[in-house]
Amino acid sequence: MQGELGHEGVLVNLYYSFFRPIIKYRRAAIGFVILSGFVLMATVGPEVVPLNLKTDFSQRYKPPSFQHPLGTDYGGRDIFQQIVHGSRDVLTIAALAAMYAITIAVTIGILSGLLGGIVDAILTGLTDIFLTIPSFPVMMAIAAVFEVRDPFSFAAILAIWMWAGLARSIRAEVLSLKQKEFIEAARILGLGTSHIVFREILPNIMPYIVINFITMIRSAITASVGIMFLGIVPFKITHWGVMLYMAMFQYGAVYVPEGIYYALAPLFCIVLLEYGAISLAHGLDEIFNPRLKTYE
Amino acid sequence: MIAQRITKRILLSFFTLLFSASITFFLVNNIPGNVIDVLAAQIMESYGVSYDEAKQMAYTYYFGYESNKSLLERYIDYITNIFRGNLGTSIMYRVPVNSIVVHALPWTLFVLSLSLLTGFAIGTLLGLLMAWRRKTFLDPLVTAYASFTDATPDFVTAMLLFMFLAARLGWFPLKGAYDESLTPGFYPAFIISVLYHAALPILSYVIEHIGFWALIVKGSAASVLEEDFVKAAEARGLHERRILTAYVGRVALIPVIAMLAIQLGYMLGGSTIVETVFTYPGIGYFFSQASSTLDFGLMQGLFFIIILGIILANLAVDIIYPLIDPRARRESAR
Amino acid sequence: MNHILRIKNLIVEYAVREGSLRVVNNVSLDVPEGKITALVGESGCGKSSLLDGILRTLPPNGYIRSNGVWFKDINLARLSNEELRRIRWERIAVVFQAAQNSLNPVLKIGDHVLETYHAHRKGESKDEILAKARELLEMVNLDPKQVLNSYPYELSGGMKQRVIIALSLILDPELLILDEPTSALDTYTQSTIIDMLKKIHREKGLTMFLVTHDLPVVAEMADYVAVMYAGKIMEVADVETIFYKAKYPYTNLLIKAIPSLIGDPSDRKPIPGSPPSLLNPPSGCVFHPRCPFRRPICDKKAPPFFHVDKSLVACWLYGDTK
Ligand SMILES: Nc1ncnc2c1ncn2[C@@H]1O[C@H](COP(=O)(O)OP(=O)(O)O)[C@@H](O)[C@H]1O
Ligand SMILES: [Mg+2]
């Protein structure tokens, strides 16, 4: 019957399964609104806000005004424009990294849990190693050596160091699902592995994956902006991490009172964006895994 | 059980080191040609050798293998060198990485251990209080604080502290680990100068971690509070203080202790940012310098030190664990 | 007869999402000194909560009201936390249900003994305290040398249960309250623990208040029995009366429901129906929906207590005739 649903049906379904719980849980709602705002900024923003990177030193470090809502930078360029245009790269890199990492994690977690034996032993060992190695320094080193400049390879470098934790929990989840009857039944019925993976296991761990997607976006933002903040990947000048690098280490914006807007604007956006992601992830967690609260 | 655990940890540590060495080998193998060219040119000039010879020398000198050998031989040479403790040579500083480590590591260890302990102590106290005195203002306050600091990455905290407290107000120094005019030694003026310079880096870590520890400890303590043995202790008329320390605190901290090593790992990774912002001459500062100037020798060497630090911290936790949790001694006791 | 404990109109409620759950409903009960009194009733009828009401050991969502809980001439309900703390274990020891989990996993048994002692008394040396503990451990058939130096995880469930019982005597309390002391143990351990408790009672003349849903244990140990149903005490009598001439229909059904105690095992009849919801208890007498002798008044008015022979019973069968 599900396949028969028209457009309305899908919308109604989406409403009941996604929007209604989000409205009900304040935390998720806050996160959702914040993230939606940034997604809007990243998608529509650059189309409607022009970007003028011509330097005009007479306009250096102007405070916010009608003309420059967030003031201007060292070169007299509008900060708001940079923030809007930078948001696209920040979010693209983070979303790509999260997607890659989820793919790796799901593959390794399911393979490891489902196949067991020597494959499991090797993959578990590998996961442990990846969990032990501190991700940020490795990401830095690899990004530096390969002199990455495009979002795709940068996201890949991040993803390689982000999947391990999720893979481990997916493996555990698969192991416990394996004990459940419906998987047993599918086995006995001789339904193939692909059926078991795509019809039984994936739908069961989907909520988990969605939540992790959001938390990973958040970690990817921290990592990517952090690396750029250190000036290791000289990306576009509008990228928030590069803006911070400039403010901190190049233009000396942190030393002069007028430079405050240039330093604070990207900082504020990053904190707000991460706060949104964390809230949405926590909220979704509350929705999908309601704690059994017997009292209070 | 301990023996088994430690054997497993040692195996894992070995493979982690091997894997890390392989990564750095892979990186070194992918050095952009121009970096080698520059090195070779310098060597040609100072030793008067041919370009090819200079290139050879550059490889042997900086990375510990000869570039004309086969890939496998190079790999083996490289790994053996690393495991022998020869971490390579810094291109920028022209000294063995080991000697940089000797100077940088103490600063990092000093700042990290002080930060870890302070953050852990304050966080634990808050967490226990939150669990114990349930309906007070403390819980919502600390929870809000924790979710705020959770959303602020290291560089945000460090940069804000630097910008306001050091650059603008001038209350704290802009760089360094101590006042350059003092000769290092164990005398009050120097120690005060060291603490003064370390204050903001430490504060960055502590601000970031208090909320984390508080929530973790609160969760753990709240579940211990529901245990029958806590109620039984109350029925035995034990003093509240005794129950909070020997019962709730002691048992709740067991799972938390294991996280100290993990947290230290994060902090070592984060030291690249914090130490760079405050120009604090520790491992992290040199590592990020090395990365941005493509000083491969230094980069790989420090990377190992960071990994080694994490491995040792994990090992330490595995060893002290049975001391704090008698249940972990189960097998060996028999 | 002297009563060591007199509970007056005790009410215990838990705050739950659906409202408040009244699990002890206006219970008054006297515990005679020097005897063993048993409190029986199905699981979930509020026995443990009643005990928690005595020394105020309820979980955070539990609330108590009463017209007094008198221990000798002290009203426990009026004591400050510190005053209550001094009475706990020193004068009234409560061994909770699941006593196996009553020990701190990171402390040795010896440390439990010492900390308990020091919480109440000063003066005696470590050796004197431990000597006393050894004596008590021997009394419960444990090897003191081994046990005092052990962590709880090194002992079996039955050993831990016996450790707690020994520990409960370390301060020579005047009243020992035991909540299901034999549940979750194998039958052999159960019977040794019962023998032990009987021996302790005999030798020390200690007053015991024993909570259980295990009637054979009651038959073997108790002098007096109180029957609880859905948060209320319905009948109180001496053990003979309860087993042979019980007045309350539920008591009789309960006794018939136990196998092989008296008479033929095939006589055994489970009580029809199921215990009521405490969230919406039945009107009138809480037992009326399951009662084979139901009368018109039963679902309208809760019965008061009537003295019938040697029983004190809350049932309209004995009251509405007059
Ligand atoms: N902390 C609590 N919150 C809510 N309900 C509880 C709590 N503790 C016990 N209950 C409920 O109260 C009722 C009585 O419990 P209890 O006193 O343990 O009964 P008994 O000891 O007779 O088995 C049960 O229905 C139980 O589910
Ligand atoms: Mg009970």
Side-chain angles (χ1 to χ4, degrees):
Chain A
M1 288 301 123
Q2 288 271 317
E4 305 288 328
L5 282 174
H7 271 304
E8 271 165 58
V10 170
L11 284 183
V12 169
N13 240 354
L14 202 63
Y15 172 76
Y16 275 106
S17 61
F18 192 66
F19 288 106
R20 205 171 68 154
I22 283 187
I23 294 165
K24 212 174 115 198
Y25 289 81
R26 208 174 44 131
R27 183 126 200 226
I30 293 173
F32 185 73
V33 168
I34 294 175
L35 278 194
S36 306
F38 279 105
V39 169
L40 209 67
M41 185 198 270
T43 48
V44 184
E47 311 302 330
V48 293
V49 177
L51 179 64
N52 177 9
L53 287 180
K54 271 240 283 297
T55 48
D56 174 2
F57 290 108
S58 68
Q59 292 294 314
R60 172 179 296 178
Y61 291 142
K62 290 280 175 242
S65 62
F66 185 70
Q67 213 184 348
H68 303 294
L70 295 175
T72 61
D73 73 357
Y74 176 82
R77 292 161 296 203
D78 184 76
I79 295 173
F80 178 68
Q81 292 176 2
Q82 298 184 40
I83 291 281
V84 170
H85 283 257
S87 68
R88 185 173 280 187
D89 287 320
V90 172
L91 280 181
T92 312
I93 291 170
L96 281 174
M99 244 149 57
Y100 297 158
I102 294 265
T103 313
I104 306 175
V106 168
T107 313
I108 290 192
I110 291 185
L111 278 183
S112 184
L114 210 54
L115 299 181
I118 181 85
V119 179
D120 181 36
I122 292 174
L123 291 180
T124 311
L126 199 67
T127 310
D128 284 344
I129 290 176
F130 271 87
L131 280 174
T132 313
I133 295 179
S135 53
F136 190 68
V138 208
M139 290 173 179
M140 264 171 77
I142 300 182
V145 171
F146 287 93
E147 303 186 309
V148 283
R149 297 293 178 269
D150 68 301
F152 294 93
S153 14
F154 191 33
I157 289 172
L158 301 179
I160 295 174
W161 301 95
M162 283 169 46
W163 57 269
L166 179 61
R168 179 187 267 186
S169 18
I170 287 184
R171 170 179 174 272
E173 197 63 25
V174 171
L175 284 183
S176 82
L177 280 176
K178 254 166 97 178
Q179 316 292 325
K180 299 251 166 75
E181 292 123 45
F182 58 94
I183 305 253
E184 270 302 294
R187 257 182 212 289
I188 292 166
L189 287 174
L191 297 170
T193 313
S194 73
H195 173 94
I196 294 178
V197 170
F198 289 103
R199 289 297 170 80
E200 316 286 1
I201 292 183
L202 269 183
N204 262 293
I205 56 177
M206 210 56 209
Y208 203 66
I209 292 179
V210 172
I211 292 169
N212 272 276
F213 180 69
I214 295 165
T215 50
M216 278 186 181
I217 285 192
R218 181 266 164 133
S219 336
I221 293 171
T222 306
S224 60
V225 176
I227 290 172
M228 298 203 190
F229 171 71
L230 293 175
I232 286 162
V233 181
F235 220 72
K236 285 181 208 146
I237 189 140
T238 56
H239 191 286
W240 300 348
V242 179
M243 289 173 79
L244 288 177
Y245 168 69
M246 293 296 182
M248 179 76 211
F249 302 107
Q250 298 293 321
Y251 297 158
V254 291
Y255 296 97
V256 288
E258 310 83 58
I260 193 164
Y261 301 104
Y262 186 56
L264 286 190
L267 280 186
F268 177 77
C269 288
I270 289 161
V271 172
L272 190 64
L273 179 53
E274 293 210 2
Y275 182 76
I278 294 169
S279 301
L280 183 59
H282 277 242
L284 287 179
D285 191 32
E286 268 169 23
I287 294 170
F288 288 129
N289 315 310
R291 303 272 176 286
L292 291 173
K293 272 196 186 159
T294 42
Y295 43 91
E296 267 177 345
Chain B
M1 204 158 93
I2 323 177
Q4 209 182 333
R5 217 174 132 135
I6 290 178
T7 319
K8 209 184 138 198
R9 174 66 72 192
I10 288 174
L11 264 176
L12 179 64
S13 306
F14 173 75
F15 280 110
T16 307
L17 276 177
L18 192 64
F19 191 80
S20 313
S22 310
I23 296 173
T24 51
F25 176 74
F26 171 71
L27 289 181
V28 167
N29 254 285
N30 279 285
I31 295 182
N34 55 351
V35 176
I36 289 294
D37 283 345
V38 172
L39 292 179
Q42 289 167 349
I43 292 175
M44 274 165 76
E45 208 164 287
S46 21
Y47 295 89
V49 288
S50 76
Y51 174 78
D52 279 336
E53 276 172 312
K55 209 168 138 184
Q56 291 294 342
M57 285 172 69
Y59 273 105
T60 342
Y61 183 59
Y62 289 110
F63 311 121
Y65 62 76
E66 287 153 42
S67 65
N68 55 356
K69 286 190 177 173
S70 76
L71 189 68
L72 184 68
E73 279 173 314
R74 276 187 281 162
Y75 179 70
I76 293 173
D77 282 357
Y78 180 82
I79 300 280
T80 351
N81 248 322
I82 296 270
F83 274 79
R84 281 203 188 121
N86 176 4
L87 297 178
T89 306
S90 161
I91 297 172
M92 189 163 53
Y93 299 94
R94 302 291 174 89
V95 289
V97 174
N98 292 1
S99 72
I100 294 180
V101 169
V102 169
H103 283 100
L105 191 59
W107 294 122
T108 301
L109 286 184
F110 166 66
V111 166
L112 286 193
S113 50
L114 218 56
S115 312
L116 191 66
L117 290 183
T118 317
F120 181 72
I122 300 176
T124 301
L125 212 66
L126 286 176
L128 284 180
L129 280 176
M130 279 156 77
W132 186 245
R133 301 242 172 272
R134 285 157 50 91
K135 295 187 172 93
T136 57
F137 68 98
L138 199 62
D139 195 319
L141 201 73
V142 175
T143 308
Y145 173 81
S147 66
F148 177 72
T149 52
D150 191 21
T152 54
D154 293 347
F155 54 84
V156 176
T157 319
M159 199 171 148
L160 286 174
L161 287 178
F162 180 83
M163 183 156 78
F164 289 109
L165 299 185
R168 305 281 296 280
L169 292 172
W171 292 352
F172 290 93
L174 295 173
K175 54 184 253 194
Y178 56 87
D179 191 340
E180 299 284 333
S181 64
L182 299 169
T183 27
F186 272 103
Y187 55 96
F190 183 73
I191 293 172
I192 287 171
S193 163
V194 164
L195 288 173
Y196 180 51
H197 282 73
L200 286 187
I202 290 177
L203 197 59
S204 314
Y205 293 111
V206 171
I207 287 177
E208 280 288 306
H209 291 117
I210 285 179
F212 168 82
W213 289 119
L215 289 196
I216 297 267
V217 170
K218 178 202 158 193
S220 181
S223 71
V224 173
L225 272 172
E226 283 172 16
E227 297 270 0
D228 292 331
F229 61 81
V230 173
K231 183 174 168 182
E234 281 168 17
R236 274 190 282 132
L238 300 192
H239 289 278
E240 215 179 31
R241 197 165 3 98
R242 171 84 189 168
I243 297 177
L244 191 57
T245 53
Y247 281 68
V248 184
R250 176 91 195 273
V251 179
L253 283 191
I254 289 172
V256 179
I257 296 281
M259 304 194 69
L260 278 171
I262 300 173
Q263 202 60 12
L264 188 72
Y266 279 125
M267 290 170 77
L268 265 172
S271 71
T272 49
I273 281 175
V274 174
E275 290 179 0
T276 305
V277 169
F278 296 103
T279 323
Y280 194 83
I283 296 288
Y285 170 76
F286 284 105
F287 187 75
S288 78
Q289 291 301 304
S291 301
S292 51
T293 57
L294 290 183
D295 183 344
F296 282 82
L298 189 53
M299 209 197 296
Q300 59 163 35
L302 293 181
F303 185 58
F304 269 100
I305 291 301
I306 293 175
I307 305 261
L308 210 60
I310 288 167
I311 286 174
L312 290 179
N314 276 305
L315 204 59
V317 164
D318 276 354
I319 291 170
I320 61 168
Y321 206 76
L323 298 181
I324 51 171
D325 186 0
R327 287 166 295 187
R329 285 173 234 163
R330 198 178 290 253
E331 234 72 316
S332 55
R334 298 222 165 127
Chain C
M1 187 165 20
N2 256 338
H3 290 120
I4 193 164
L5 186 70
R6 283 166 299 148
I7 301 169
K8 302 244 179 281
N9 308 93
L10 179 67
I11 292 173
V12 175
E13 289 180 342
Y14 293 117
V16 291
R17 221 177 342 184
E18 297 83 1
S20 80
L21 195 65
R22 184 172 284 201
V23 297
V24 176
N25 190 356
N26 214 1
V27 162
S28 296
L29 182 69
D30 295 343
V31 176
E33 188 158 8
K35 305 283 184 199
I36 300 184
T37 304
L39 177 67
V40 300
E42 287 164 295
S43 255
C45 72
K47 304 181 298 292
S48 301
S49 307
L50 171 60
L51 296 191
D52 285 339
I54 298 173
L55 283 176
R56 307 209 303 251
T57 46
L58 285 156
N61 67 324
Y63 299 89
I64 316 177
R65 259 180 299 147
S66 73
N67 284 336
V69 176
W70 293 88
F71 170 68
K72 299 197 167 162
D73 53 358
I74 304 168
N75 186 353
L76 299 176
R78 284 284 171 78
L79 296 186
S80 70
N81 287 341
E82 174 58 19
E83 288 165 332
L84 194 63
R85 184 194 70 72
R86 286 202 210 110
I87 292 206
R88 289 174 175 174
W89 218 257
E90 168 82 52
R91 304 188 68 183
I92 306 176
V94 189
V95 174
F96 289 121
Q97 199 165 351
Q100 296 93 314
N101 306 330
S102 287
L103 295 165
N104 184 338
V106 300
L107 290 185
K108 292 183 178 178
I109 306 304
D111 298 327
H112 284 85
V113 172
L114 293 172
E115 66 172 7
T116 310
Y117 198 92
H118 290 310
H120 297 279
R121 295 181 201 171
K122 295 194 173 53
E124 266 169 90
S125 73
K126 192 174 156 183
D127 290 338
E128 287 170 307
I129 302 166
L130 288 179
K132 179 152 188 209
R134 275 190 208 102
E135 208 174 281
L136 291 168
L137 287 169
E138 263 162 23
M139 183 159 139
V140 297
N141 298 330
L142 289 171
D143 171 13
K145 263 217 299 289
Q146 183 220 333
V147 168
L148 283 175
N149 245 324
S150 297
Y151 286 99
Y153 75 85
E154 295 170 307
L155 306 176
S156 71
M159 288 165 90
K160 280 185 265 192
Q161 180 73 282
R162 278 180 280 167
V163 165
I164 306 266
I165 291 174
L167 187 56
S168 73
L169 303 173
I170 191 89
L171 301 173
D172 296 305
E174 294 148 60
L175 170 63
L176 175 59
I177 300 179
L178 299 138
D179 193 355
E180 314 264 13
T182 57
S183 65
L185 297 174
D186 61 87
T187 36
Y188 172 73
T189 317
Q190 282 186 10
S191 64
T192 54
I193 287 192
I194 290 169
D195 290 342
M196 239 175 50
L197 287 172
K198 285 203 299 201
K199 191 170 94 186
I200 292 167
H201 175 69
R202 217 181 319 114
E203 288 177 4
K204 303 196 177 238
L206 181 59
T207 312
M208 292 189 189
F209 185 37
L210 174 74
V211 168
T212 179
H213 59 246
D214 191 351
L215 286 173
V217 172
V218 175
E220 207 175 325
M221 290 185 65
D223 301 306
Y224 295 92
V225 182
V227 179
M228 192 168 182
Y229 182 80
K232 288 192 166 256
I233 302 282
M234 304 307 261
E235 178 164 15
V236 185
D238 62 278
V239 66
E240 300 272 306
T241 310
I242 287 290
F243 279 93
Y244 296 105
K245 281 179 271 173
K247 295 289 176 287
Y248 185 48
Y250 173 72
T251 314
N252 281 314
L253 289 170
L254 202 60
I255 286 163
K256 290 233 184 67
I258 38 169
S260 74
L261 184 62
I262 356 173
D264 187 337
S266 61
D267 267 0
R268 176 184 175 196
K269 293 201 193 81
I271 310 175
S274 53
S277 143
L278 291 170
L279 214 50
N280 294 305
S283 59
C285 168
V286 279
F287 187 58
H288 85 256
R290 296 167 86 183
C291 184
F293 309 105
R294 183 168 57 229
R295 298 175 164 207
I297 190 173
C298 293
D299 61 355
K300 297 195 178 59
K301 238 179 122 186
F305 276 101
F306 301 104
H307 279 281
V308 187
D309 298 339
K310 288 160 139 182
S311 263
L312 193 60
V313 60
C315 177
W316 286 121
L317 281 179
Y318 308 97
D320 65 334
T321 43
K322 77 169 177 254

